Amino acid sequence: MRKEPLLEIADLRLDFRQGDRIVEAVRGVDLKVFEGEILGLVGESGSGKSVTALSITGLLPKTASVRSGKIFFDGMDLLASPEEDLRKVRGSRISYVFQDPASSLNPVFTIGEQLMETVVLHQKAAGRARAFDIAVESLKDVGMPSPKELMSAYPHQLSGGMRQRVMIAMAISCRPKLLIADEPTTALDVTVQAQILELLSELKEELSLTVILITHDLSIVSQVAEKTAVMQQGRIVEYGDTEMVYRKPSHPYTKKLIDCIPKIGGR
Ligand code: ADP
Ligand code: MG
């Protein structure tokens, strides 16, 4: 049985205006993401991973223009959708987790206030009492001990890993179908990195999430992703089952990335 992809990007091209210069950031990206899988999108810095992800829900900077392409999500033609419809999709059906949890959280508000604000924003029907419960529930989902007490804590009282868990709680509080995690572990040390990756895998199972995991580090993808797409200079140069990509990389750039992973006991 062949499934329809949950997200399909076809021939996406976009560029940036920089003065009178045009920088082609995405040069014909095709990508399919199927329901219930983690897709690892890997490539070096500047290869176009983030702008591809942002284009999905129309979050691109004003200097960017989409030249061509289609993005279908669950039957919806996103690039042709008005901003009002995209706003409904953002945060409730597709949500993001970004690299730096320190700058994504506001230092002057408690964790609870920020979580509840997100909940109320996306689930307008939810009153404050209900929003509180949903927020606490989300903190439980991401494995936070004593979630009720945590609601009144400020971001600076938490470690980097904890803050990233809060960001993930925020992203899943509205039960999105698709979670886009853009370098979610890059700012964290290795042990915490592994814990966050494990959490993403668990959430995928428990909440039937589909995940796009963006990273410059192929070893991260290999730990959790079923599918791997390798991006280089605005194009997808390799795509397939993670295991196959590892065992039989077809593109020289992928081989280079694999060679860069330190192997335990290897040369
Ligand atoms: P990645 O996430 O893979 O590191 P990005 O998607 O952020 O890469 O950027 C891809 C390319 O798009 C960059 O090489 C850069 O040339 C261009 N770019 C990204 N953001 C901007 C911006 N705000 N203004 C101008 N160019 C940008
Ligand atoms: Mg990026």
Side-chain angles (χ1 to χ4, degrees), residues 16-18 23 25 43-52 61 63 182:
F16 282 93
R17 246 178 306 110
Q18 283 181 329
V23 179
E44 67 198 351
S45 173
S47 55
K49 307 179 298 295
S50 294
V51 291
T52 299
T63 51
D182 193 347

